[in-house]
Amino acid sequence: VMPNMPALIGQGISCLVSNKSTSKKNKKTINNLFLKVGKTIWLKNEIEIDKATAISGSGPGYVFTLIDAFEKASQQIGFPKNISREMVLSTILGSIKLMEKTKKEPSDLADSIAVKGGTTEAGIKILQKKKPHKMMYSTFLAAYKRASKIGKTNDWVRKKNCSTNIKCPNEKCISNEDKFDSEDREIIYIRHDDINMKYLYLCSHCDYIWKTN
């Protein structure tokens, strides 16, 4: 199952997957459980769960980032923070409800507002220059790749604060670049090799595996 943050207030969406051994009764029980925190969607397999992680699981983070950009731009124009927040949240929530009620495509609704020579058209032209569709695809793809990689490390344990004493030995790994964020550099996983009685390390950035001496 992949829930998301709005489940905290009963407005989440949980993506679930089951195997052939899951009975219809158990599946219904599980579905009813997650309906208590929002909506549910049943997916075909674990690969789709990784994809859902990139969209609905991580999605609130993208939305909050966009809202933050909306607010800060509003403040730069001259509005105080409290007014900016009220305008931005009301605009976004109202737009979502309008889209749900009319069942129209978002592109059609945008076109209906962006009259030729108007203010909305002027703003949308700037957005289009930044290629928002390509940007969102790249965002989802990056999150999906990371979700898939993490999924392969279920039997590994994340080693915290390892940036100070463990470094990926792969010289070509991006984590060894000076400009690389130190917080991200420490994403290294550890697992004990019971056969050779050694600890194995896995770099999440380049999938390089090495062992202790």
Side-chain angles (χ1 to χ4, degrees), residues 162-170 175-177 185 188 210:
C162 65
S163 59
T164 57
N165 55 15
I166 298 177
K167 186 177 181 181
C168 178
N170 179 10
S175 68
N176 291 325
E177 296 179 6
R185 184 183 291 130
I188 293 178
W210 70 100

Side-chain angles (χ1 to χ4, degrees), residues 5-210:
M5 187 180 284
L8 293 170
I9 58 168
Q11 294 295 314
I13 182 163
S14 300
C15 298
L16 306 100
V17 65
S18 64
N19 55 33
K20 293 180 180 180
S21 64
T22 306
S23 66
K24 290 183 178 181
K25 182 179 179 181
N26 286 341
K27 191 172 179 179
K28 184 178 180 180
T29 300
I30 294 170
N31 193 69
N32 289 337
L33 176 65
F34 284 96
L35 281 176
K36 295 182 183 297
V37 293
K39 298 180 179 180
T40 60
I41 293 179
W42 286 88
L43 304 177
K44 297 177 182 179
N45 49 50
E46 291 289 343
I47 294 176
E48 288 195 343
I49 284 290
D50 287 340
K51 293 178 180 179
T53 300
I55 300 172
S56 60
S58 299
Y62 315 146
V63 173
F64 295 142
T65 300
L66 291 172
I67 290 174
D68 183 60
F70 260 66
E71 288 189 352
K72 284 186 168 57
S74 175
Q75 291 168 40
Q76 286 179 318
I77 286 178
F79 287 106
K81 184 174 182 178
N82 61 325
I83 293 179
S84 294
R85 176 151 299 180
E86 185 174 357
M87 283 197 300
V88 170
L89 292 183
S90 295
T91 298
I92 292 173
L93 288 171
S95 299
I96 292 171
K97 290 178 180 178
L98 177 64
M99 184 176 166
E100 288 181 333
K101 187 171 183 178
T102 62
K103 300 187 184 304
K104 291 184 178 180
E105 291 296 315
S107 57
D108 292 336
L109 289 170
D111 289 342
S112 68
I113 305 172
V115 295
K116 190 172 182 178
T119 58
T120 306
E121 183 192 49
I124 287 179
K125 282 182 177 180
I126 299 299
L127 283 174
Q128 289 174 338
K129 287 181 180 179
K130 301 297 182 180
K131 300 180 179 180
H133 297 84
K134 183 178 180 179
M135 179 186 69
M136 288 311 304
Y137 172 71
S138 297
T139 300
F140 289 157
L141 186 61
Y144 168 52
K145 287 181 177 179
R146 181 54 60 88
S148 298
K149 184 178 291 186
I150 292 174
K152 296 175 183 177
T153 63
N154 285 337
D155 56 344
W156 295 72
V157 177
R158 177 167 178 161
K159 178 72 174 177
K160 296 182 179 180
N161 301 321
C162 65
S163 59
T164 57
N165 55 15
I166 298 177
K167 186 177 181 181
C168 178
N170 179 10
E171 294 181 356
K172 296 182 179 180
C173 180
I174 59 171
S175 68
N176 291 325
E177 296 179 6
D178 293 336
K179 64 181 180 180
F180 201 80
D181 190 271
S182 60
E183 185 176 339
D184 288 332
R185 184 183 291 130
E186 67 177 36
I187 304 178
I188 293 178
Y189 296 85
I190 184 171
R191 185 181 72 182
H192 190 259
D193 182 354
D194 294 329
I195 297 177
N196 297 311
M197 299 303 292
K198 293 180 180 292
Y199 281 102
L200 299 176
Y201 295 94
L202 167 67
C203 177
S204 67
H205 302 291
C206 66
D207 288 333
Y208 188 88
I209 297 176
W210 70 100

